[in-house]
Amino acid sequence: MLEKLESAAPDALLALIKLHAADDRADKIDLGVGVYRTGQGDTPVFAAIKAAERKLVEDQTSKAYLGPEGDMGFVEALMPYVFGAGDPTMHGRIEGMQTTGGTGAVRLAAALARTAGVTKVHLGVPSWPNHAQILADLDLEVAEFDHACADGTANLDAVLAAIAGAGEGEAVLLHGCCHNPTGIDYTPEQWAAIAHGFADGKALPIIDVAYQGLGHGMEEDAAGLRTVLAAVPEALVAYSCDKNFGLYRDRVGAFYVMADEGSRLPAIMSNAAALARANWSMPPDHGAAAVRLILRDDKLTAQWLDELERMRSRMRQVRERLATAGTVGNVDLAPLGEQNGLFSMLPLSKEQIQRLRDDHAIYMAGSGRINVAGLTQGNIDKFVEALGDVAG
Ligand code: PLP
């Protein structure tokens, strides 16, 4: 049987990481990899996480199975940050469970939507490539719309048309903040229009929040999500703690459902638990337990928020520096100052991207996506100069 399998397409970013590692030019720049980097080029473990992990080693008395919902203390401690401290359950209408990272949360959201009768999902493109892969793997039809306009702002008309055009059995998947790969988020006014669109239409909103706190702040980055949730009867939310707690390989995420009435949640969550059980049985515990310990301890919470703030302000500085460079060759860097999170897209051709790599040791995805955290005080001038060379 297995001889029938043909090679799956290799992951282009993983191939890029290998090429970068093999390059021995001392001034090489990696803008491909999708993790935060400090000004020194490191992706360190948060000090708050280290402290929580030490506590965990001391205090944990058992590693017995928890169940498909994972660490519910973690799931509940996170809710005020995602849904607002006032009433994080929205009158008992929101419940969640832990997942294997944000990927597991997206998978569970899509699978639950399918179980509930969704057959088609509208997706703004470009998007995180795994969105389309997960939807295809679940045999869900994908209807694409343009996420961005050529001037580096969000295409509101396209998303509103997708929402208005979606009928019964259709969902619209949106990024809550720090859109990957464009960095282009909806403005508060645009979120209000989107919320109205959902309220007037039939589409089920699925909102993927993978980078809360990496844009403008924990509250600011949740505002769009909350605007939609306040307007609609039901929604699914996928959440990742892998970026805002730096836990990437520990795979920490959560999936939340908002139902029109709290009384529906037991039936909905029993379906989610059954889907989780059939996929990964139960999520890995360690990272989620560390997040729970942080969120239940005021000092650790303050330390984590401080570390997150430093990440965010470093990325804003890089973005501002790029934006002040203005138009470099035929690339306008000004919109990058308004965009959010780790990623932005540069309108470069394949040849220009190849020349950046060959002539300047600058590695970026073939799509033109750059990770702004790959830029530092030490290499940003070189990057802008190189861009002028290839895009001139
Ligand atoms: N959603 C989006 C938009 C992402 O960019 C990512 C990760 O890159 C994820 C979800 C998944 O995150 P995780 O690493 O927690 O699985």
Side-chain angles (χ1 to χ4, degrees), residues 60-68 70-71 282-286:
Q60 197 170 47
T61 53
S62 173
K63 287 191 182 286
Y65 294 125
L66 281 180
D71 184 330
M282 48 198 82
D285 179 66
H286 179 84

Side-chain angles (χ1 to χ4, degrees), residues 34 100-106 127-131 134 175-181 208-211 238-243 248-249 251-253 343 369:
T100 51
T103 306
V106 171
S127 191
W128 178 50
N130 219 10
H131 278 153
I134 289 170
H175 298 229
C177 63
C178 305
H179 186 273
N180 177 9
D208 181 10
V209 184
Y211 300 91
Y239 193 93
S240 175
C241 290
D242 291 329
K243 334 286 170 160
Y248 311 93
R249 69 175 73 153
R251 317 301 305 126
V252 186
F343 307 114
R369 186 188 85 164

Side-chain angles (χ1 to χ4, degrees), residues 136-357:
D137 195 48
L138 287 163
D139 287 329
L140 286 161
E141 186 187 339
V142 177
E144 296 183 346
F145 63 91
D146 288 330
H147 173 65
C149 300
D151 65 357
T153 60
N155 189 336
L156 182 66
D157 292 344
V159 66
L160 291 182
I163 293 169
E168 204 70 48
E170 299 183 25
V172 179
L173 171 51
L174 300 178
H175 298 229
C177 63
C178 305
H179 186 273
N180 177 9
T182 66
I184 299 171
D185 290 337
Y186 299 115
T187 63
E189 295 73 29
Q190 289 175 328
W191 275 115
I194 288 167
H196 270 116
F198 275 122
D200 290 345
K202 295 201 162 80
L204 174 69
I206 302 178
I207 304 193
D208 181 10
V209 184
Y211 300 91
Q212 190 186 6
L214 276 72
H216 287 284
M218 286 295 288
E219 285 296 298
E220 293 85 340
D221 293 353
L225 166 75
R226 293 181 199 167
T227 302
V228 173
L229 295 190
V232 298
E234 48 187 30
L236 307 180
V237 179
Y239 193 93
S240 175
C241 290
D242 291 329
K243 334 286 170 160
N244 57 4
F245 286 85
L247 282 165
Y248 311 93
R249 69 175 73 153
D250 280 343
R251 317 301 305 126
V252 186
F255 164 68
Y256 294 96
V257 176
M258 186 181 77
D260 59 348
E261 283 172 30
S263 60
R264 294 199 210 287
L265 285 170
I268 296 168
M269 294 314 286
S270 71
N271 279 275
L275 288 164
R277 188 99 177 98
N279 272 287
W280 50 76
S281 182
M282 48 198 82
D285 179 66
H286 179 84
V291 171
R292 168 175 45 78
L293 289 178
I294 290 175
L295 297 181
R296 285 188 176 167
D297 178 314
D298 290 346
K299 264 197 178 155
L300 287 181
T301 297
Q303 187 177 20
W304 160 62
L305 287 172
D306 184 54
E307 293 183 272
L308 184 60
E309 152 101 59
R310 274 185 272 146
M311 275 170 72
R312 181 166 64 242
S313 57
R314 188 179 114 60
M315 288 187 289
R316 287 249 80 90
Q317 276 168 16
V318 171
R319 288 187 173 283
E320 273 158 32
R321 168 73 187 81
L322 290 172
T324 49
T327 302
V328 178
N330 60 2
V331 178
D332 183 8
L333 292 175
L336 274 72
E338 302 300 317
Q339 297 167 2
N340 299 316
L342 285 173
F343 307 114
S344 278
M345 297 270 285
L346 300 182
L348 295 172
S349 67
K350 298 268 176 258
E351 291 70 34
Q352 288 168 326
I353 291 169
Q354 186 71 43
R355 274 191 59 207
L356 277 175
R357 191 188 309 167

Side-chain angles (χ1 to χ4, degrees), residues 7 17-18 32 40 65 73 98 100-101 135 162 183 187 206 283 288-289 301 309 317 347 350 358-359 371 373-374:
S7 294
I17 291 169
K18 276 196 188 152
Q40 287 69 46
Y65 294 125
Q98 192 203 327
T100 51
L135 297 172
T187 63
I206 302 178
T301 297
E309 152 101 59
Q317 276 168 16
K350 298 268 176 258
D358 295 345
D359 300 352
N371 176 359

